[in-house]
Amino acid sequence: MNYLKDLFGGDPRQFGMVFALVALVTFFQVQTEGLVLTSANLMNLLNGNAYILVLAVGMVLVIIAGHIDLSVGSVAAFAGIVLALAMRDWGLAPWAAVLLCLCVGALIGAWQGFWVAYVGIPAFVVTLAGMMLFRGANQALGHSNTIPVPDDIQYLGGGYLPPLAYDTGLNDPTLALGLAAILWLVLGTWRARRRTLRLGGEVPPLGATVVRLMALSVVIAWLTYQFASGRPGTSFPIPGLILVSLVILYSFLAGHTILGRHIYAVGGNSQAARLSGVDTRRITFLVMMNMSILAALAGLMFVGRATASGPFDGVSWELDAISAVFIGGAAVSGGVGTVIGSVIGGLVMAVLNNGLQLMGVGADLTQIIKGLVLLLAVAFDVYNKTQGRPSILGLLLRQRPTAGGGHAPGSGSAAGPAASSVAGSPAAAVAGTGVGASAVRSTDVGSGPNGQPGSDAGNQNAPRPPGSPPVSPGQGTSKRLTLLVLGLVVLGSGLWYLVNGGRQATPTSPAARGGLTTDGQPSGAPLPQQATGPASAADSVSAARRQAGARPGFPPNSLIGVALPQKTSENWVLAEQLFRDGLAAAGFKLDVQFANGGVPEQQNQIQTMVTKGARVLIVGAIDGSQLGGQLREAVASGATVIAYDRLLTNTPAVDYYVAFDNYKVGVLQGQALLEGLRQRKGPPPWNIELFAGSPDDANSQVFFNGAMSVLQPRISDGTLVVRSGQTSFAQAATPGWKAENAQRRMDTLLAGTYPQVKLDGVLSPNDTLARAVLTSVRAAGKDLPVVTGQDSEVESVKSILRGEQYSTINKDTGALVGHAIAMVRDLQQGKVPAVNDDHSYFNGVKIVPAYLLEPLIVTQANVREAYANDPILKSIVNP
Ligand code: BGC
């Protein structure tokens, strides 16, 4: 056991996390039959998570200093949009735009740092305000649109090192980097060891150090080979390089500079630090400012990877970064944590995500599992603290306490910067000194910034600080340990059940290859779909009866409320303007709102419209099933409710539905995919993958059903092959309609399922996601598949003209808004609005009379004529 401890260095708690990471990787490697540890997947893991890990690097310093930063996602998004606009609209060169972006981060950081450090407002509040402020600023500046960025920026977010002169068949800069890392590790460890000996310190036996160095070198060499031997043109990715540089820089800063020690001191016990002469306000200011600069950098990297800056970039990134930091061993109370630990914590989450996705586990279960892991990690931490021990591993490695209360092996050096030894940092062995150890809060046992026993960790007989739980090496400990083990077993079995029992069809499942699985139908409330059974009942909904339900009109200048969802595609932004202009021109008062803050915000907006006396509510719901209460009140107040584009479900309180024929949209997408494959991909069989929209949008399932009505028979007869086996709606869904979610899933599919195989086509439910899919395929260096879309977004129309994206669906927003306004006019005059469908849209409670418009399929063949009269697109298609 001692040997093991010597082998792993002085910080078993950190190693606990490394072991967890190794165990996870091994688990997924086995479960996915080797898909995790491939060059392509390793690159994806880095590219897809580097920006979160960069945030974690900044966040751990904030948390060590005893604060929190909730604004990082919004700051990243704001800096990202400034970057994109600076190049597109303000004429800045990329290098100048990057500089501007980082300066924006610094300025925001100074602003927030000022409030926290010099005014004394808690960071939680200041950054909560910042979260709203900079999200709003991002959307105001970019008009909630997506702004593309040029190649130079894309390089920073997903580029590779070019090969050098020697053609080794491997990427030689990557080889050189790997070699340098091994040399640095060996020489650094050696130097540190000699210095410790010279100073009279204790070092592990030589043999243990040599074995450790050899093991780490083998790991680095293997990783180097993986990164160097990927598909031609790839290497260790640029975002990875940025991350590694930051980790080295900040580990050094935290562990080996006075500034670093002061940060630990401030978080450990700020009063003591102040009395020791530390300028605590300055430290707080700097830490907050640094965080925002790194957030700007993360925004830049993300925008580069996504190839564009969007209005929802950065949403909930702060939570990912904070989870990484806590999983990595930082203390909620401040004073404890390491840069490398946080990066490992972030990697644990990233591997979980990636592995579960590769296994085809849905996004819902993935969240559950990630939540449990976070809780478990912090529970360990808290448990260890109350026990005065560094970790479970530390417990296992611990010797029986000696009567004299001697220092137990594996103790004392919890999460100080010396833990950087985990990454093989040569700095590890250097024992630091300074204010940190003495200033660390007394309850943070084992957490001295220098890994010193600034506490009684492992020293069973040392005096305990007042108020801390008594530590008895006897029965108390074994009882807690038993409880902990029991808890672990319960959680472990839960996880096992979730992964195996609740798992979706795996890539190897023949049933799943068959197409739609029964779990494609969400459980619970019935979803809107082409009514089958209820249709007959609907037939009896006669025009006469509807006429009988006519309501009296209302004054022509009444208030009309328009509640729109998040701006997840351009058509929503366009709709806003068209509603404003159209309703005003018709003489109505209007209240048009977007609910970028989510469902609760939309509920409040509708409530407010009702309170203000709106006579008609036009609702484009985020989640059509979550507005029942507000709609009931609207109808009770005498208002008429029109569902716009997305059906309102599970409520009787909806009068009309105006939309494009969503099922037909799906059918057209399915047909376009087949036609594109025939035209562009030679004879069948064709490999395809399926993407669906956000599960909370009622339209998503209808689009998917429509498309599958065309594709399923071809999957069944073998013309189409969904190689991943992910054919259910739940597996194909893209939470929040977010491009980054689609891009990440495509990355994973490409690495896991298509390393050697060609991908011929992708069903994409809309244009935003189609472009994300194409970006991912391009980054993987593969031939472009046939990709469908919807919405006629400007960038997608350009892409169709270039022969990249295959198709889109033209849903003329002007016509849709125009029809909704025509309904309002009818209602105002006491007439019954015209509908052309009284049987298709059963919302779970009633059949909603609908006016359905005809969608039009657009490909390169008809793109010019399709948009010849479109006010925005005509100049693009016929310049
Ligand atoms: C709309 C689509 C749009 C998607 C994302 C759907 O409800 O019908 O046109 O692409 O939402 O905003």
Side-chain angles (χ1 to χ4, degrees), residues 546 656-657 819 822-823 826 831-837 849-851:
R546 286 207 316 276
Y656 300 99
Y657 180 38
H819 201 84
M823 280 185 162
D826 284 345
K831 295 187 203 156
V832 174
V835 293
N836 60 8
D837 181 295
Y851 192 92

Side-chain angles (χ1 to χ4, degrees), residues 8-24 327-329 341 344-345 348 377 380 384 390-397 414 419 422:
F8 295 133
D11 195 352
R13 173 151 85 176
Q14 293 290 310
F15 268 100
M17 251 325 124
V18 177
F19 282 142
L21 185 60
V22 172
L24 269 181
I327 291 181
I344 292 171
V348 165
F380 270 169
N384 293 332
S391 72
I392 285 299
L393 190 71
L395 276 176
L396 296 176
L397 300 178
V422 170

